[in-house]
Structures are given as structure tokens and as C-alpha cells.
């Protein structure tokens, strides 16, 4: 069975600092990987996804993530945090075979951006 | 504008009452999902449907029921058998085949007292 671990339920950074949100997965085959963002009392919005090909994936709002098979990781980064980045971020994984119902979410990391 | 709508945004009910949450999508997606979100727990799958008139239990289906009579609609009923129904409920949809990303509605916050 697949699983996703997000290290750190809360991360705090200063405005302009690097954002690094960690995600590790366990899967017997290289999976599809996703990052979602959720603002308070709203639904989830897809930030970026990795399926195949280039391992460095760029998403919306200046975020990017790198798939590292050897480390089973898919960490999310942004060079310079903005106040508007304050939200909760979810990493998710699904197998390359099988149905969409197998999308598994991590427990989320809440990002705080300090002025 | 294509997307998923959930109504209402906030819902209050008394204990012992059934309540139905609405989810409609105009993305022409075959698959639809219901998730429950509690603080610090991430998203937990309640039910999903990949085709009209068919649906499957997810990880926490007890105390919930669904129907899928139309491709666009996937209502969720929270029954009185659900022991702890107060939560944020999210509906999502996706194509069945492909990269499997799911698109989410804005959510319904249900409070039962």
C-alpha cells in the first residue's frame, strides 16, 4: 500500500525566505505525485504534479518540486516566500496503474509567513 | 466556467437528523469523490463513484450514504448513525484514466450539535 509522509505539520518562514516543505512516499513503483494548496475554509487547488519525464516540476505561484526516486521524496520549494503563500499544503501520491480512487494524501503542512 | 460547486457553505444540524450535502460538477468528469477533513488528519475518503449508478466505499464510509443518478451530481447524506459528523466535507472529481489529479469543490462545513 502506498503512503505519504509530510515532515512537519507546521512550518514558519519569514517573508522573502526560502520555503521548503518535505514529502516522502512509499511505493513499490515510481508513482504519480502531486502538491495541493488549501487556503482557510476553501477547497484544494492543484499546485503541480509529476507523472513522467523531467524530475523538476514547476507549478503555479512560483513553486516547484523535484522528484528524487533514490530518496523517495518530492519536496516543494519556493525561493522567496510571500505573505499570500500562507496556507496548508498537501502532498499526494497515486500509482501509475489503477484508478483515481487510489490517490493518497499526506496529513498536510501548515505554512505561516511572518512579515 | 467549469468547476465543482458544493452547497451550502455552512450547515448546522441537530444531533439525530440526517443531512444531505450537495455536489455538482460541469467538468464532464466520470469520477467523483467525497472526503472528510478534520484538523491534523488530512483527507479521508468516504465514497467514490466512477460511473453513474455505481459507487464504492472508501476508508470511512460508516454512517454515510451516496447516490449517483446523474454524471454531474454526487450528493452525500450524513446519517444519524455517523457518531462524529462535525467536519469539513470536500467533493472532488477527476477523469478515470490519466494522471489522476482530482479537482476540488469549495467544501461544506457541517456542524452538528
Amino acid at each position: 500500500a502506498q503512503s505519504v509522509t509530510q515532515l512537519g505539520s507546521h512550518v514558519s518562514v519569514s517573508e522573502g525566505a526560502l520555503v521548503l516543505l518535505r514529502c516522502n512516499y512509499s511505493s513499490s513503483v515510481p508513482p504519480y505525485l502531486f502538491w495541493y494548496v488549501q487556503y482557510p475554509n476553501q477547497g484544494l487547488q492543484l499546485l503541480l504534479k509529476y507523472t513522467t519525464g523531467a524530475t523538476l516540476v514547476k507549478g503555479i505561484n512560483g513553486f516547484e518540486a523535484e522528484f528524487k526516486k533514490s530518496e523517495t521524496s518530492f519536496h516543494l520549494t519556493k525561493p522567496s516566500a510571500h505573505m499570500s503563500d500562507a496556507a496548508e499544503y498537501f502532498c499526494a501520491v497515486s500509482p501509475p496503474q489503477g484508478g483515481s480512487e487510489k490517490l493518497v494524501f499526506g496529513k498536510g503542512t501548515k505554512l505561516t509567513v511572518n512579515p | 466556467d467549469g468547476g465543482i460547486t458544493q452547497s451550502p457553505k455552512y450547515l448546522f444540524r441537530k444531533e439525530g437528523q440526517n443531512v444531505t450535502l450537495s455536489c455538482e460538477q460541469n467538468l464532464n468528469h466520470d469520477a467523483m469523490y467525497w472526503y472528510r477533513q478534520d484538523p491534523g488528519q488530512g483527507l479521508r475518503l468516504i465514497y467514490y463513484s466512477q460511473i453513474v449508478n455505481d459507487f464504492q466505499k472508501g476508508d470511512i464510509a460508516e454512517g454515510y450514504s451516496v447516490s449517483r443518478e446523474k454524471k454531474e451530481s454526487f450528493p452525500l447524506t450524513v446519517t444519524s448513525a455517523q457518531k462524529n459528523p462535525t467536519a469539513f466535507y470536500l467533493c472532488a472529481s477527476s477523469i478515470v484514466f490519466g494522471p489522476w489529479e482530482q479537482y476540488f469543490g469549495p467544501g461544506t462545513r457541517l456542524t452538528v450539535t
Side-chain angles (χ1 to χ4, degrees), chain A residues 32 34 36 38 41-44 46 49 51 90 94-101 103 105-107, chain B residues 9 33 35 37 40 42-43 45 48 50 88 90 94-96 98-102 104-106 109:
Chain A
Y32 292 160
F34 308 85
Y36 285 86
Q38 184 181 34
N41 289 313
Q42 295 186 27
L44 276 67
L46 183 68
K49 66 182 181 185
T51 54
F90 292 92
S94 74
Q97 306 89 14
S100 314
E101 74 281 6
L103 191 64
F105 289 86
K107 293 189 183 301
Chain B
K9 181 69 174 173
Y33 314 82
Y35 291 92
Q37 186 177 25
L43 276 69
L45 183 64
Y48 65 95
Q50 294 183 315
F88 191 53
L90 287 161
S94 74
I95 59 174
V96 176
W100 291 290
E101 70 258 43
Q102 295 179 10
F104 285 81
R109 186 167 296 281

mmCIF file of all heavy atoms in Angstrom, chain A residues 32 34 36 38 41-44 46 49 51 90 94-101 103 105-107, chain B residues 9 33 35 37 40 42-43 45 48 50 88 90 94-96 98-102 104-106 109:
data_model
loop_
_atom_site.group_PDB
_atom_site.id
_atom_site.type_symbol
_atom_site.label_atom_id
_atom_site.label_comp_id
_atom_site.label_asym_id
_atom_site.label_seq_id
_atom_site.Cartn_x
_atom_site.Cartn_y
_atom_site.Cartn_z
ATOM 1 N N TYR A 32 2.752 8.571 -9.407
ATOM 2 C CA TYR A 32 2.454 9.945 -9.760
ATOM 3 C C TYR A 32 2.399 10.737 -8.457
ATOM 4 O O TYR A 32 1.895 10.247 -7.451
ATOM 5 C CB TYR A 32 1.117 10.048 -10.481
ATOM 6 C CG TYR A 32 1.096 9.411 -11.852
ATOM 7 C CD1 TYR A 32 -0.108 9.064 -12.445
ATOM 8 C CD2 TYR A 32 2.250 9.163 -12.562
ATOM 9 C CE1 TYR A 32 -0.167 8.496 -13.698
ATOM 10 C CE2 TYR A 32 2.225 8.591 -13.821
ATOM 11 C CZ TYR A 32 1.007 8.250 -14.392
ATOM 12 O OH TYR A 32 0.968 7.681 -15.627
ATOM 13 N N PHE A 34 1.739 14.670 -6.450
ATOM 14 C CA PHE A 34 1.015 15.926 -6.549
ATOM 15 C C PHE A 34 1.255 16.770 -5.295
ATOM 16 O O PHE A 34 1.459 16.230 -4.204
ATOM 17 C CB PHE A 34 -0.506 15.667 -6.645
ATOM 18 C CG PHE A 34 -0.904 14.697 -7.715
ATOM 19 C CD1 PHE A 34 -0.894 13.333 -7.480
ATOM 20 C CD2 PHE A 34 -1.305 15.154 -8.957
ATOM 21 C CE1 PHE A 34 -1.263 12.423 -8.458
ATOM 22 C CE2 PHE A 34 -1.677 14.258 -9.949
ATOM 23 C CZ PHE A 34 -1.659 12.893 -9.704
ATOM 24 N N TYR A 36 -0.907 19.962 -3.476
ATOM 25 C CA TYR A 36 -2.099 20.799 -3.459
ATOM 26 C C TYR A 36 -1.929 21.867 -2.384
ATOM 27 O O TYR A 36 -1.252 21.650 -1.378
ATOM 28 C CB TYR A 36 -3.346 19.977 -3.105
ATOM 29 C CG TYR A 36 -3.872 19.079 -4.195
ATOM 30 C CD1 TYR A 36 -3.368 17.793 -4.376
ATOM 31 C CD2 TYR A 36 -4.902 19.512 -5.034
ATOM 32 C CE1 TYR A 36 -3.875 16.965 -5.370
ATOM 33 C CE2 TYR A 36 -5.417 18.682 -6.022
ATOM 34 C CZ TYR A 36 -4.899 17.414 -6.184
ATOM 35 O OH TYR A 36 -5.410 16.598 -7.160
ATOM 36 N N GLN A 38 -4.286 24.570 0.135
ATOM 37 C CA GLN A 38 -5.624 24.862 0.651
ATOM 38 C C GLN A 38 -5.564 26.118 1.494
ATOM 39 O O GLN A 38 -4.870 26.169 2.515
ATOM 40 C CB GLN A 38 -6.154 23.691 1.484
ATOM 41 C CG GLN A 38 -7.574 23.904 1.965
ATOM 42 C CD GLN A 38 -8.083 22.758 2.818
ATOM 43 O OE1 GLN A 38 -7.322 22.141 3.563
ATOM 44 N NE2 GLN A 38 -9.370 22.454 2.708
ATOM 45 N N ASN A 41 -10.797 27.499 4.886
ATOM 46 C CA ASN A 41 -12.205 27.298 4.538
ATOM 47 C C ASN A 41 -12.450 27.233 3.035
ATOM 48 O O ASN A 41 -13.522 27.637 2.563
ATOM 49 C CB ASN A 41 -13.077 28.396 5.156
ATOM 50 C CG ASN A 41 -13.178 28.224 6.652
ATOM 51 O OD1 ASN A 41 -13.423 27.115 7.133
ATOM 52 N ND2 ASN A 41 -12.952 29.279 7.386
ATOM 53 N N GLN A 42 -11.458 26.753 2.302
ATOM 54 C CA GLN A 42 -11.618 26.577 0.863
ATOM 55 C C GLN A 42 -11.250 25.146 0.471
ATOM 56 O O GLN A 42 -10.737 24.380 1.274
ATOM 57 C CB GLN A 42 -10.745 27.573 0.097
ATOM 58 C CG GLN A 42 -11.149 29.030 0.300
ATOM 59 C CD GLN A 42 -10.364 29.968 -0.593
ATOM 60 O OE1 GLN A 42 -9.903 29.586 -1.670
ATOM 61 N NE2 GLN A 42 -10.201 31.203 -0.149
ATOM 62 N N GLY A 43 -11.513 24.819 -0.770
ATOM 63 C CA GLY A 43 -11.126 23.514 -1.288
ATOM 64 C C GLY A 43 -9.642 23.480 -1.626
ATOM 65 O O GLY A 43 -8.919 24.446 -1.431
ATOM 66 N N LEU A 44 -9.200 22.329 -2.143
ATOM 67 C CA LEU A 44 -7.802 22.172 -2.516
ATOM 68 C C LEU A 44 -7.606 22.584 -3.972
ATOM 69 O O LEU A 44 -8.456 22.330 -4.828
ATOM 70 C CB LEU A 44 -7.372 20.709 -2.350
ATOM 71 C CG LEU A 44 -6.948 20.269 -0.955
ATOM 72 C CD1 LEU A 44 -8.106 20.286 0.011
ATOM 73 C CD2 LEU A 44 -6.294 18.895 -1.018
ATOM 74 N N LEU A 46 -4.719 22.392 -7.153
ATOM 75 C CA LEU A 46 -3.507 21.723 -7.598
ATOM 76 C C LEU A 46 -2.402 22.745 -7.847
ATOM 77 O O LEU A 46 -2.581 23.707 -8.598
ATOM 78 C CB LEU A 46 -3.789 20.932 -8.878
ATOM 79 C CG LEU A 46 -2.621 20.125 -9.435
ATOM 80 C CD1 LEU A 46 -2.279 18.963 -8.499
ATOM 81 C CD2 LEU A 46 -2.952 19.591 -10.828
ATOM 82 N N LYS A 49 2.257 18.756 -10.474
ATOM 83 C CA LYS A 49 2.212 17.302 -10.463
ATOM 84 C C LYS A 49 3.411 16.748 -11.232
ATOM 85 O O LYS A 49 3.952 17.382 -12.135
ATOM 86 C CB LYS A 49 0.920 16.774 -11.096
ATOM 87 C CG LYS A 49 0.801 17.070 -12.582
ATOM 88 C CD LYS A 49 -0.518 16.556 -13.137
ATOM 89 C CE LYS A 49 -0.606 16.850 -14.637
ATOM 90 N NZ LYS A 49 -1.926 16.477 -15.202
ATOM 91 N N THR A 51 4.351 13.230 -13.319
ATOM 92 C CA THR A 51 3.876 11.942 -13.846
ATOM 93 C C THR A 51 5.071 11.181 -14.418
ATOM 94 O O THR A 51 5.486 10.164 -13.883
ATOM 95 C CB THR A 51 2.778 12.137 -14.891
ATOM 96 O OG1 THR A 51 3.237 13.029 -15.913
ATOM 97 C CG2 THR A 51 1.542 12.736 -14.247
ATOM 98 N N PHE A 90 -0.692 20.057 0.866
ATOM 99 C CA PHE A 90 -0.854 18.612 0.923
ATOM 100 C C PHE A 90 -0.097 17.947 -0.222
ATOM 101 O O PHE A 90 -0.241 18.328 -1.378
ATOM 102 C CB PHE A 90 -2.332 18.218 0.813
ATOM 103 C CG PHE A 90 -3.154 18.627 1.997
ATOM 104 C CD1 PHE A 90 -3.804 19.848 2.015
ATOM 105 C CD2 PHE A 90 -3.280 17.780 3.088
ATOM 106 C CE1 PHE A 90 -4.566 20.226 3.104
ATOM 107 C CE2 PHE A 90 -4.037 18.150 4.189
ATOM 108 C CZ PHE A 90 -4.678 19.377 4.196
ATOM 109 N N SER A 94 -0.299 8.701 -6.218
ATOM 110 C CA SER A 94 -1.155 7.664 -6.777
ATOM 111 C C SER A 94 -0.310 6.742 -7.647
ATOM 112 O O SER A 94 0.714 7.165 -8.188
ATOM 113 C CB SER A 94 -2.305 8.255 -7.587
ATOM 114 O OG SER A 94 -1.861 8.744 -8.821
ATOM 115 N N PRO A 95 -0.723 5.498 -7.793
ATOM 116 C CA PRO A 95 0.057 4.576 -8.601
ATOM 117 C C PRO A 95 -0.112 4.886 -10.079
ATOM 118 O O PRO A 95 -1.165 5.396 -10.485
ATOM 119 C CB PRO A 95 -0.544 3.206 -8.245
ATOM 120 C CG PRO A 95 -1.951 3.517 -7.896
ATOM 121 C CD PRO A 95 -1.924 4.874 -7.246
ATOM 122 N N PRO A 96 0.863 4.577 -10.901
ATOM 123 C CA PRO A 96 0.698 4.806 -12.343
ATOM 124 C C PRO A 96 -0.304 3.851 -12.972
ATOM 125 O O PRO A 96 -0.795 4.094 -14.053
ATOM 126 C CB PRO A 96 2.106 4.587 -12.909
ATOM 127 C CG PRO A 96 2.821 3.795 -11.888
ATOM 128 C CD PRO A 96 2.209 4.133 -10.564
ATOM 129 N N GLN A 97 -0.604 2.746 -12.279
ATOM 130 C CA GLN A 97 -1.671 1.882 -12.753
ATOM 131 C C GLN A 97 -2.843 2.011 -11.791
ATOM 132 O O GLN A 97 -2.696 2.426 -10.659
ATOM 133 C CB GLN A 97 -1.219 0.404 -12.804
ATOM 134 C CG GLN A 97 0.042 0.164 -13.584
ATOM 135 C CD GLN A 97 1.270 0.285 -12.716
ATOM 136 O OE1 GLN A 97 1.171 0.294 -11.493
ATOM 137 N NE2 GLN A 97 2.431 0.407 -13.336
ATOM 138 N N GLY A 98 -4.000 1.592 -12.228
ATOM 139 C CA GLY A 98 -5.142 1.621 -11.321
ATOM 140 C C GLY A 98 -5.919 2.909 -11.420
ATOM 141 O O GLY A 98 -5.640 3.756 -12.249
ATOM 142 N N GLY A 99 -6.889 3.098 -10.554
ATOM 143 C CA GLY A 99 -7.829 4.189 -10.659
ATOM 144 C C GLY A 99 -7.507 5.378 -9.783
ATOM 145 O O GLY A 99 -6.645 5.336 -8.921
ATOM 146 N N SER A 100 -8.259 6.453 -10.036
ATOM 147 C CA SER A 100 -8.063 7.693 -9.301
ATOM 148 C C SER A 100 -8.385 7.543 -7.831
ATOM 149 O O SER A 100 -7.932 8.351 -7.024
ATOM 150 C CB SER A 100 -8.956 8.783 -9.895
ATOM 151 O OG SER A 100 -8.873 8.798 -11.293
ATOM 152 N N GLU A 101 -9.153 6.530 -7.482
ATOM 153 C CA GLU A 101 -9.525 6.358 -6.078
ATOM 154 C C GLU A 101 -8.324 6.004 -5.220
ATOM 155 O O GLU A 101 -8.400 6.040 -4.002
ATOM 156 C CB GLU A 101 -10.589 5.262 -5.941
ATOM 157 C CG GLU A 101 -10.098 3.836 -6.103
ATOM 158 C CD GLU A 101 -9.902 3.421 -7.549
ATOM 159 O OE1 GLU A 101 -10.030 4.266 -8.436
ATOM 160 O OE2 GLU A 101 -9.637 2.231 -7.779
ATOM 161 N N LEU A 103 -5.630 7.728 -4.966
ATOM 162 C CA LEU A 103 -4.880 8.914 -4.571
ATOM 163 C C LEU A 103 -4.838 8.969 -3.053
ATOM 164 O O LEU A 103 -5.869 8.937 -2.399
ATOM 165 C CB LEU A 103 -5.551 10.166 -5.133
ATOM 166 C CG LEU A 103 -4.790 11.477 -5.042
ATOM 167 C CD1 LEU A 103 -3.519 11.439 -5.851
ATOM 168 C CD2 LEU A 103 -5.682 12.625 -5.513
ATOM 169 N N PHE A 105 -3.395 11.020 0.327
ATOM 170 C CA PHE A 105 -2.921 12.325 0.766
ATOM 171 C C PHE A 105 -2.098 12.217 2.041
ATOM 172 O O PHE A 105 -2.371 11.385 2.917
ATOM 173 C CB PHE A 105 -4.105 13.255 1.034
ATOM 174 C CG PHE A 105 -4.825 13.701 -0.196
ATOM 175 C CD1 PHE A 105 -5.836 12.936 -0.744
ATOM 176 C CD2 PHE A 105 -4.490 14.899 -0.813
ATOM 177 C CE1 PHE A 105 -6.502 13.343 -1.891
ATOM 178 C CE2 PHE A 105 -5.145 15.321 -1.952
ATOM 179 C CZ PHE A 105 -6.153 14.539 -2.499
ATOM 180 N N GLY A 106 -1.111 13.100 2.159
ATOM 181 C CA GLY A 106 -0.441 13.285 3.430
ATOM 182 C C GLY A 106 -1.331 14.080 4.370
ATOM 183 O O GLY A 106 -2.397 14.557 3.994
ATOM 184 N N LYS A 107 -0.874 14.247 5.609
ATOM 185 C CA LYS A 107 -1.683 14.920 6.621
ATOM 186 C C LYS A 107 -1.604 16.437 6.532
ATOM 187 O O LYS A 107 -2.313 17.136 7.263
ATOM 188 C CB LYS A 107 -1.284 14.448 8.017
ATOM 189 C CG LYS A 107 -1.626 12.975 8.265
ATOM 190 C CD LYS A 107 -1.431 12.597 9.711
ATOM 191 C CE LYS A 107 -1.701 11.127 9.968
ATOM 192 N NZ LYS A 107 -3.060 10.727 9.592
ATOM 193 N N LYS B 9 -22.357 26.371 2.002
ATOM 194 C CA LYS B 9 -21.005 26.529 2.508
ATOM 195 C C LYS B 9 -20.942 26.128 3.991
ATOM 196 O O LYS B 9 -19.985 25.500 4.426
ATOM 197 C CB LYS B 9 -20.565 27.983 2.344
ATOM 198 C CG LYS B 9 -19.152 28.269 2.830
ATOM 199 C CD LYS B 9 -18.108 27.612 1.946
ATOM 200 C CE LYS B 9 -16.706 28.024 2.365
ATOM 201 N NZ LYS B 9 -15.667 27.276 1.639
ATOM 202 N N TYR B 33 -15.818 12.078 -5.914
ATOM 203 C CA TYR B 33 -15.335 11.611 -4.613
ATOM 204 C C TYR B 33 -15.885 12.498 -3.492
ATOM 205 O O TYR B 33 -16.127 13.682 -3.692
ATOM 206 C CB TYR B 33 -13.801 11.689 -4.544
ATOM 207 C CG TYR B 33 -13.085 11.146 -5.742
ATOM 208 C CD1 TYR B 33 -12.932 11.930 -6.881
ATOM 209 C CD2 TYR B 33 -12.575 9.854 -5.740
ATOM 210 C CE1 TYR B 33 -12.286 11.433 -7.997
ATOM 211 C CE2 TYR B 33 -11.925 9.354 -6.851
ATOM 212 C CZ TYR B 33 -11.786 10.146 -7.972
ATOM 213 O OH TYR B 33 -11.143 9.644 -9.079
ATOM 214 N N TYR B 35 -14.670 13.478 0.473
ATOM 215 C CA TYR B 35 -13.661 13.389 1.519
ATOM 216 C C TYR B 35 -14.156 14.095 2.767
ATOM 217 O O TYR B 35 -14.907 15.068 2.707
ATOM 218 C CB TYR B 35 -12.358 14.073 1.092
ATOM 219 C CG TYR B 35 -11.607 13.388 -0.013
ATOM 220 C CD1 TYR B 35 -11.821 13.738 -1.341
ATOM 221 C CD2 TYR B 35 -10.667 12.396 0.273
ATOM 222 C CE1 TYR B 35 -11.120 13.117 -2.362
ATOM 223 C CE2 TYR B 35 -9.953 11.769 -0.738
ATOM 224 C CZ TYR B 35 -10.183 12.133 -2.049
ATOM 225 O OH TYR B 35 -9.481 11.517 -3.051
ATOM 226 N N GLN B 37 -12.502 16.076 6.098
ATOM 227 C CA GLN B 37 -11.261 16.675 6.581
ATOM 228 C C GLN B 37 -11.441 17.117 8.023
ATOM 229 O O GLN B 37 -12.351 17.874 8.347
ATOM 230 C CB GLN B 37 -10.855 17.873 5.707
ATOM 231 C CG GLN B 37 -9.498 18.443 6.065
ATOM 232 C CD GLN B 37 -9.083 19.577 5.155
ATOM 233 O OE1 GLN B 37 -9.904 20.252 4.558
ATOM 234 N NE2 GLN B 37 -7.776 19.791 5.041
ATOM 235 N N GLY B 40 -5.500 18.285 11.299
ATOM 236 C CA GLY B 40 -4.362 17.409 11.537
ATOM 237 C C GLY B 40 -4.501 16.004 10.995
ATOM 238 O O GLY B 40 -3.611 15.169 11.178
ATOM 239 N N GLY B 42 -5.545 15.279 7.652
ATOM 240 C CA GLY B 42 -5.517 15.200 6.207
ATOM 241 C C GLY B 42 -6.903 14.920 5.643
ATOM 242 O O GLY B 42 -7.922 15.240 6.267
ATOM 243 N N LEU B 43 -6.948 14.312 4.468
ATOM 244 C CA LEU B 43 -8.216 13.992 3.822
ATOM 245 C C LEU B 43 -8.462 12.495 3.906
ATOM 246 O O LEU B 43 -7.568 11.696 3.611
ATOM 247 C CB LEU B 43 -8.182 14.405 2.341
ATOM 248 C CG LEU B 43 -8.503 15.852 2.011
ATOM 249 C CD1 LEU B 43 -7.399 16.780 2.513
ATOM 250 C CD2 LEU B 43 -8.704 16.020 0.519
ATOM 251 N N LEU B 45 -11.074 9.441 2.554
ATOM 252 C CA LEU B 45 -12.046 9.143 1.512
ATOM 253 C C LEU B 45 -13.275 8.467 2.108
ATOM 254 O O LEU B 45 -13.170 7.436 2.783
ATOM 255 C CB LEU B 45 -11.402 8.256 0.444
ATOM 256 C CG LEU B 45 -12.241 7.884 -0.760
ATOM 257 C CD1 LEU B 45 -12.596 9.135 -1.568
ATOM 258 C CD2 LEU B 45 -11.486 6.877 -1.639
ATOM 259 N N TYR B 48 -16.620 6.980 -3.349
ATOM 260 C CA TYR B 48 -16.291 7.450 -4.676
ATOM 261 C C TYR B 48 -17.150 6.723 -5.701
ATOM 262 O O TYR B 48 -17.672 5.634 -5.444
ATOM 263 C CB TYR B 48 -14.799 7.286 -4.984
ATOM 264 C CG TYR B 48 -14.304 5.854 -5.055
ATOM 265 C CD1 TYR B 48 -14.222 5.187 -6.264
ATOM 266 C CD2 TYR B 48 -13.900 5.199 -3.895
ATOM 267 C CE1 TYR B 48 -13.762 3.890 -6.320
ATOM 268 C CE2 TYR B 48 -13.438 3.899 -3.947
ATOM 269 C CZ TYR B 48 -13.362 3.251 -5.157
ATOM 270 O OH TYR B 48 -12.906 1.949 -5.211
ATOM 271 N N GLN B 50 -17.224 6.007 -10.065
ATOM 272 C CA GLN B 50 -16.522 6.148 -11.345
ATOM 273 C C GLN B 50 -17.484 6.119 -12.524
ATOM 274 O O GLN B 50 -17.078 6.345 -13.660
ATOM 275 C CB GLN B 50 -15.466 5.050 -11.489
ATOM 276 C CG GLN B 50 -14.338 5.201 -10.464
ATOM 277 C CD GLN B 50 -13.243 4.177 -10.637
ATOM 278 O OE1 GLN B 50 -13.507 3.001 -10.817
ATOM 279 N NE2 GLN B 50 -12.002 4.628 -10.569
ATOM 280 N N PHE B 88 -15.314 19.223 7.977
ATOM 281 C CA PHE B 88 -15.306 19.913 6.690
ATOM 282 C C PHE B 88 -15.367 18.838 5.616
ATOM 283 O O PHE B 88 -14.563 17.907 5.623
ATOM 284 C CB PHE B 88 -14.027 20.745 6.581
ATOM 285 C CG PHE B 88 -14.000 21.709 5.435
ATOM 286 C CD1 PHE B 88 -15.026 22.621 5.233
ATOM 287 C CD2 PHE B 88 -12.922 21.737 4.563
ATOM 288 C CE1 PHE B 88 -14.989 23.528 4.188
ATOM 289 C CE2 PHE B 88 -12.865 22.646 3.503
ATOM 290 C CZ PHE B 88 -13.904 23.539 3.321
ATOM 291 N N LEU B 90 -15.363 17.727 1.609
ATOM 292 C CA LEU B 90 -14.884 18.148 0.293
ATOM 293 C C LEU B 90 -15.320 17.150 -0.766
ATOM 294 O O LEU B 90 -15.176 15.948 -0.601
ATOM 295 C CB LEU B 90 -13.358 18.243 0.295
ATOM 296 C CG LEU B 90 -12.779 19.425 1.059
ATOM 297 C CD1 LEU B 90 -11.320 19.182 1.394
ATOM 298 C CD2 LEU B 90 -12.927 20.703 0.249
ATOM 299 N N SER B 94 -12.644 13.775 -11.148
ATOM 300 C CA SER B 94 -11.481 13.534 -11.998
ATOM 301 C C SER B 94 -11.904 12.728 -13.212
ATOM 302 O O SER B 94 -12.984 12.126 -13.233
ATOM 303 C CB SER B 94 -10.385 12.769 -11.226
ATOM 304 O OG SER B 94 -10.755 11.407 -11.060
ATOM 305 N N ILE B 95 -11.034 12.710 -14.220
ATOM 306 C CA ILE B 95 -11.216 11.723 -15.283
ATOM 307 C C ILE B 95 -10.807 10.376 -14.711
ATOM 308 O O ILE B 95 -10.084 10.315 -13.717
ATOM 309 C CB ILE B 95 -10.375 12.069 -16.532
ATOM 310 C CG1 ILE B 95 -8.888 12.124 -16.174
ATOM 311 C CG2 ILE B 95 -10.853 13.376 -17.139
ATOM 312 C CD1 ILE B 95 -7.994 12.323 -17.382
ATOM 313 N N VAL B 96 -11.287 9.326 -15.293
ATOM 314 C CA VAL B 96 -10.990 7.999 -14.760
ATOM 315 C C VAL B 96 -9.610 7.538 -15.202
ATOM 316 O O VAL B 96 -8.858 6.946 -14.440
ATOM 317 C CB VAL B 96 -12.066 6.985 -15.191
ATOM 318 C CG1 VAL B 96 -11.691 5.583 -14.718
ATOM 319 C CG2 VAL B 96 -13.419 7.381 -14.605
ATOM 320 N N GLY B 98 -5.781 8.499 -16.751
ATOM 321 C CA GLY B 98 -4.891 9.641 -16.945
ATOM 322 C C GLY B 98 -4.051 9.877 -15.726
ATOM 323 O O GLY B 98 -3.835 8.976 -14.920
ATOM 324 N N PRO B 99 -3.548 11.085 -15.548
ATOM 325 C CA PRO B 99 -2.667 11.397 -14.414
ATOM 326 C C PRO B 99 -3.367 11.430 -13.071
ATOM 327 O O PRO B 99 -2.727 11.673 -12.059
ATOM 328 C CB PRO B 99 -2.111 12.770 -14.770
ATOM 329 C CG PRO B 99 -2.373 12.954 -16.210
ATOM 330 C CD PRO B 99 -3.620 12.187 -16.504
ATOM 331 N N TRP B 100 -4.643 11.270 -13.040
ATOM 332 C CA TRP B 100 -5.393 11.091 -11.816
ATOM 333 C C TRP B 100 -5.394 12.253 -10.849
ATOM 334 O O TRP B 100 -5.623 12.059 -9.659
ATOM 335 C CB TRP B 100 -4.934 9.819 -11.063
ATOM 336 C CG TRP B 100 -5.313 8.591 -11.792
ATOM 337 C CD1 TRP B 100 -6.579 8.098 -11.948
ATOM 338 C CD2 TRP B 100 -4.440 7.711 -12.499
ATOM 339 N NE1 TRP B 100 -6.533 6.966 -12.710
ATOM 340 C CE2 TRP B 100 -5.247 6.698 -13.059
ATOM 341 C CE3 TRP B 100 -3.075 7.690 -12.716
ATOM 342 C CZ2 TRP B 100 -4.718 5.681 -13.825
ATOM 343 C CZ3 TRP B 100 -2.548 6.664 -13.472
ATOM 344 C CH2 TRP B 100 -3.361 5.676 -14.008
ATOM 345 N N GLU B 101 -5.142 13.494 -11.306
ATOM 346 C CA GLU B 101 -5.318 14.573 -10.353
ATOM 347 C C GLU B 101 -6.807 14.802 -10.156
ATOM 348 O O GLU B 101 -7.612 14.598 -11.065
ATOM 349 C CB GLU B 101 -4.648 15.875 -10.787
ATOM 350 C CG GLU B 101 -5.293 16.572 -11.966
ATOM 351 C CD GLU B 101 -4.510 16.339 -13.233
ATOM 352 O OE1 GLU B 101 -4.079 15.191 -13.474
ATOM 353 O OE2 GLU B 101 -4.319 17.309 -13.981
ATOM 354 N N GLN B 102 -7.160 15.214 -8.974
ATOM 355 C CA GLN B 102 -8.552 15.468 -8.650
ATOM 356 C C GLN B 102 -8.771 16.974 -8.510
ATOM 357 O O GLN B 102 -7.897 17.701 -8.043
ATOM 358 C CB GLN B 102 -8.934 14.747 -7.357
ATOM 359 C CG GLN B 102 -8.866 13.224 -7.512
ATOM 360 C CD GLN B 102 -9.223 12.482 -6.253
ATOM 361 O OE1 GLN B 102 -9.710 13.051 -5.291
ATOM 362 N NE2 GLN B 102 -8.984 11.181 -6.251
ATOM 363 N N PHE B 104 -11.184 19.906 -6.864
ATOM 364 C CA PHE B 104 -11.976 20.011 -5.645
ATOM 365 C C PHE B 104 -12.977 21.153 -5.679
ATOM 366 O O PHE B 104 -12.734 22.204 -6.274
ATOM 367 C CB PHE B 104 -11.062 20.202 -4.436
ATOM 368 C CG PHE B 104 -10.360 18.947 -4.025
ATOM 369 C CD1 PHE B 104 -9.222 18.524 -4.685
ATOM 370 C CD2 PHE B 104 -10.858 18.166 -3.001
ATOM 371 C CE1 PHE B 104 -8.578 17.350 -4.325
ATOM 372 C CE2 PHE B 104 -10.225 16.995 -2.626
ATOM 373 C CZ PHE B 104 -9.091 16.581 -3.301
ATOM 374 N N GLY B 105 -14.090 20.925 -4.989
ATOM 375 C CA GLY B 105 -15.042 21.987 -4.731
ATOM 376 C C GLY B 105 -14.608 22.812 -3.536
ATOM 377 O O GLY B 105 -13.598 22.512 -2.891
ATOM 378 N N PRO B 106 -15.382 23.847 -3.181
ATOM 379 C CA PRO B 106 -15.019 24.750 -2.081
ATOM 380 C C PRO B 106 -15.284 24.197 -0.697
ATOM 381 O O PRO B 106 -14.845 24.774 0.292
ATOM 382 C CB PRO B 106 -15.870 25.989 -2.353
ATOM 383 C CG PRO B 106 -17.054 25.466 -3.093
ATOM 384 C CD PRO B 106 -16.570 24.325 -3.910
ATOM 385 N N ARG B 109 -18.866 23.085 5.457
ATOM 386 C CA ARG B 109 -18.542 22.862 6.879
ATOM 387 C C ARG B 109 -19.830 22.512 7.600
ATOM 388 O O ARG B 109 -20.747 23.326 7.686
ATOM 389 C CB ARG B 109 -17.896 24.093 7.490
ATOM 390 C CG ARG B 109 -17.415 23.830 8.921
ATOM 391 C CD ARG B 109 -16.494 24.915 9.437
ATOM 392 N NE ARG B 109 -15.255 25.008 8.683
ATOM 393 C CZ ARG B 109 -14.202 24.202 8.824
ATOM 394 N NH1 ARG B 109 -14.252 23.218 9.704
ATOM 395 N NH2 ARG B 109 -13.115 24.386 8.116
#
